[in-house]
Amino acid sequence: MKKITLFTVLLLLGIGALASSQKAYHIQLKMTDMKDSLVYLCHYYGKGRPTIFITDSTKMDHNGVAVFDSKDTAFVGGIYIILLGDKERTNFEVLLNRGDDIGITATKSKLPDGVKFKNSPENERFEEYVDYLKGFSKEQEKLKDELKTATTKADTDAVIKKSTESSKVLTKYRRDYSNAHPGTLLSSIFNAMEVPEVPEGPHVLEDGVTKDSTFAYRYYKKHYWDGFNFKDDRLIYTPLYDPRIEEYMTKLVLPWPDSMEKECDYLLAKARGTKDVFHYTLWWLTHNVENSKVMGMDEVFVYLVENYYMKGDAFWLTNDELSKYLDRAQKITPNVIGNLAPEIKLQNIITKKEESLLGTKAKYTVVVFYSPNCGHCQHEMPGLDSLYNEVLKAKGVKMYTVATEGDEKAITDFITKYKIGEWTNTWDPEHTSDYHNKYDVYSTPTIYILDEKKIIRGKRLDHTNIGGVIDMLEKKKDKLKDKGATKTKE
């Protein structure tokens, strides 16, 4: 698939009729003011514009007629874009289902208005919806102007009430359409766009008195996917899914490994049995945790690889592509938070003695992989040194550094410059420890926190959050002590 970019963003949703035909689609396009030009049929894939993909291309004849004709067995339908091959990239959207045989007449100078359809009542109704949206947008713009000129709270409240009522009318329009045309593409799209309406309160806990402060969140999350048909692959060929799954996973799901893994299973179970919805869901979830800056998400990546990729669910990957996921998970697994840290025994660059990481006696050990030539490391080290002297040292923390490159002089000069000689500073001149793989060191600085038992408690940190992680760990210890003391008294 070729990726192309457009610069206008207009979300127009449409409908296509289910039809039985050997052909995936047959479209005859007649442009009244163009001829002898390239024209493209494009589609969305999960995301909205500017990212769309070319499905098909053809050329208009001297009468301005272009024909798209396909027997693609993988075609399922969705929101498609007719893109005219000129520098202005003029375009309009059309709703397609497998088996559609439709005619389209349009005038470039009038686009996106004035598009006429033949043998496609769904697209005709779609145009009616587009016209309705134009009126709705004008009304909303008028209300925005009224809000700007509102001088009192009463005026503001009145405008907000009008806007809310107008939105309810739009929602009713979509729901009425879905009820009148069940199973159609636009009905599926309208249902997928539904946002949970939290019942008005007050909401209280079981005691009937205490206010339930989390009711709105829990209700919204519980009903978030009520209208989305995970069994309809056509929805992936619209701009709807990506922003919806992003909102759900990044704003409604707690960023803890256990919670993320549970929600991944929940969404993938809903999509199970489809081709495109399952594909996109597994891809999105994996990409999200693999690139997350939230500590602990690498555990979720390993979980997905072990429970889905290794079990053959990533059906779109070649063997070589699958091997890359397996290899990545294998490298991450030993240093997932909660695991015992892998042992490394390296030479102390100052004393020349062997230093065992697991043999380091400390309440917490901060492990720093760095390069003396790394600009980010040079920026990070003064912050680490200040944090150690002002906070960490008093808490029983020891620092264990590993220089990942540089000769002996470069490393010792770095240690002297940044005044970290008190730390345990090591290197691996013979390259025998394999710390790169054991600790997944593919960039510097890479920083870990180990507890007294050398269990990994934090990773991918910097001087701004190390103290916070240790404070959190201390609070957890105190809570466990309090619970233990309470049980003993009982």
Side-chain angles (χ1 to χ4, degrees), residues 8-43:
T8 57
V9 180
L10 176 61
L11 182 59
L12 302 178
L13 303 174
I15 185 166
L18 295 173
S20 58
S21 171
Q22 290 183 347
K23 292 184 177 180
Y25 54 80
H26 178 85
I27 306 170
Q28 180 171 299
L29 171 67
K30 167 65 177 175
M31 297 299 298
T32 62
D33 55 352
M34 289 183 68
K35 61 181 180 179
D36 300 321
S37 299
L38 282 173
V39 60
Y40 301 92
L41 180 67
C42 308
H43 70 270

Side-chain angles (χ1 to χ4, degrees), residues 44-240:
Y44 297 102
Y45 196 73
K47 293 178 179 288
R49 301 188 188 192
T51 303
I52 60 175
F53 300 90
I54 295 176
T55 301
D56 203 349
S57 64
T58 189
K59 188 174 183 180
M60 295 177 190
D61 63 19
H62 63 281
N63 293 315
V65 175
V67 176
F68 295 104
D69 203 348
S70 174
K71 293 183 179 180
D72 179 11
T73 57
F75 181 83
V76 296
I79 301 178
Y80 280 70
I81 305 105
I82 302 291
L83 177 65
L84 305 178
D86 60 353
K87 292 182 181 179
E88 292 141 10
R89 291 183 173 175
T90 310
N91 66 93
F92 62 93
E93 291 177 323
V94 57
L95 282 297
L96 285 179
N97 284 275
R98 183 167 183 79
D100 275 355
D101 185 353
I102 64 177
I104 306 173
T105 302
T107 301
K108 175 188 171 185
S109 59
K110 295 181 179 179
L111 291 175
D113 297 326
V115 180
K116 302 297 182 184
F117 292 92
K118 180 182 178 182
N119 196 33
S120 183
E122 265 73 29
N123 270 299
E124 291 174 2
R125 292 194 292 267
F126 167 63
E127 288 299 306
E128 293 174 4
Y129 171 65
V130 171
D131 290 338
Y132 180 85
L133 279 184
K134 291 175 183 175
F136 174 79
S137 297
K138 288 180 180 179
E139 184 178 355
Q140 291 297 307
E141 287 300 320
K142 181 180 177 182
L143 291 173
K144 285 181 181 179
D145 292 338
E146 288 184 22
L147 193 60
K148 290 178 182 178
T149 59
T151 57
T152 66
K153 184 178 184 301
D155 292 340
T156 300
D157 290 344
V159 175
I160 293 174
K161 183 177 180 181
K162 287 181 186 178
S163 179
T164 301
E165 293 302 318
S166 179
S167 296
K168 287 181 179 178
V169 173
L170 175 59
T171 299
K172 185 177 184 303
Y173 180 104
R174 292 169 175 162
R175 289 176 179 173
D176 289 346
Y177 186 96
S178 298
N179 291 332
H181 305 281
T184 58
L185 175 58
L186 188 54
S187 294
S188 189
I189 290 171
F190 282 168
N191 291 333
M193 293 173 67
E194 280 280 324
V195 176
E197 296 179 2
V198 180
E200 294 183 2
H203 303 289
V204 295
L205 298 177
E206 292 180 359
D207 61 14
V209 178
T210 308
K211 183 180 179 181
D212 186 352
S213 60
T214 65
F215 177 85
Y217 160 75
R218 289 186 291 104
Y219 184 93
Y220 188 86
K221 180 176 181 292
K222 181 179 179 180
H223 296 280
Y224 186 85
W225 295 109
D226 282 0
F228 196 97
N229 183 2
F230 279 83
K231 302 304 180 184
D232 190 346
D233 275 331
R234 296 174 300 178
L235 290 175
I236 294 301
Y237 294 89
T238 74
L240 290 174

Side-chain angles (χ1 to χ4, degrees), residues 207-482:
D207 61 14
V209 178
T210 308
K211 183 180 179 181
D212 186 352
S213 60
T214 65
F215 177 85
Y217 160 75
R218 289 186 291 104
Y219 184 93
Y220 188 86
K221 180 176 181 292
K222 181 179 179 180
H223 296 280
Y224 186 85
W225 295 109
D226 282 0
F228 196 97
N229 183 2
F230 279 83
K231 302 304 180 184
D232 190 346
D233 275 331
R234 296 174 300 178
L235 290 175
I236 294 301
Y237 294 89
T238 74
L240 290 174
Y241 191 46
D242 194 272
R244 295 227 64 185
I245 193 173
E246 180 175 11
E247 179 186 15
Y248 185 77
M249 293 300 295
T250 61
K251 295 182 180 180
L252 299 179
V253 177
L254 295 173
W256 301 335
D258 288 349
S259 297
M260 295 289 287
E261 290 167 10
K262 178 182 176 182
E263 295 293 343
C264 287
D265 287 342
Y266 168 70
L267 292 178
L268 289 166
K270 282 179 146 320
R272 178 74 70 182
T274 63
K275 178 176 177 288
D276 293 296
V277 178
F278 186 88
H279 176 174
Y280 199 91
T281 302
L282 182 54
W283 170 83
W284 192 96
L285 294 171
T286 307
H287 181 77
N288 178 55
V289 296
E290 185 180 17
N291 294 280
S292 175
K293 297 186 182 300
V294 178
M295 188 173 68
M297 290 303 103
D298 51 354
E299 177 184 330
V300 186
F301 176 82
V302 173
Y303 178 86
L304 290 172
V305 171
E306 290 180 347
N307 288 276
Y308 293 93
Y309 289 78
M310 290 176 65
K311 294 182 179 179
D313 285 325
F315 52 83
W316 62 91
L317 296 179
T318 65
N319 288 336
D320 287 343
E321 291 169 336
L322 179 60
S323 294
K324 292 179 181 178
Y325 281 90
L326 302 183
D327 180 64
R328 182 82 185 112
Q330 187 176 26
K331 288 179 178 178
I332 293 173
T333 299
N335 49 76
V336 165
I337 291 175
N339 285 356
L340 177 66
E343 171 70 298
I344 50 175
K345 294 180 179 180
L346 299 173
Q347 184 186 101
N348 187 311
I349 198 166
I350 305 299
T351 67
K352 309 305 179 187
K353 293 181 179 180
E354 183 180 81
E355 303 282 4
S356 164
L357 175 59
L358 298 190
T360 303
K361 304 297 183 183
K363 189 174 183 180
Y364 296 100
T365 304
V366 174
V367 188
V368 184
F369 296 91
Y370 75 96
S371 165
N373 301 316
C374 160
H376 190 186
C377 300
Q378 293 167 14
H379 173 77
E380 181 68 18
M381 201 58 71
L384 278 174
D385 178 51
S386 296
L387 180 68
Y388 173 73
N389 288 311
E390 295 171 11
V391 179
L392 301 183
K393 187 175 181 180
K395 292 185 176 183
V397 176
K398 288 189 178 180
M399 309 292 288
Y400 185 108
T401 74
V402 180
T404 61
E405 61 181 359
D407 58 26
E408 186 171 359
K409 184 178 186 305
I411 297 170
T412 54
D413 285 350
F414 185 91
I415 292 169
T416 301
K417 179 179 180 179
Y418 293 103
K419 302 176 182 178
I420 58 174
E422 183 181 344
W423 301 358
T424 299
N425 297 293
T426 72
W427 69 324
D428 187 10
E430 303 301 324
H431 307 290
T432 58
S433 69
D434 195 32
Y435 66 80
H436 284 95
N437 288 324
K438 289 179 178 178
Y439 283 89
D440 193 31
V441 180
Y442 55 86
S443 64
T444 54
T446 296
I447 301 175
Y448 285 77
I449 294 177
L450 315 182
D451 67 11
E452 191 170 10
K453 295 180 179 179
K454 298 302 177 288
I455 303 299
I456 298 172
R457 297 302 182 189
K459 61 187 296 187
R460 306 292 172 193
L461 300 163
D462 60 38
H463 72 277
T464 65
N465 49 31
I466 290 173
V469 172
I470 291 177
D471 286 343
M472 180 186 68
L473 293 171
E474 288 294 286
K475 288 178 181 178
K476 285 185 177 180
K477 282 184 179 180
D478 291 340
K479 285 184 179 179
L480 289 174
K481 286 181 181 178
D482 291 341

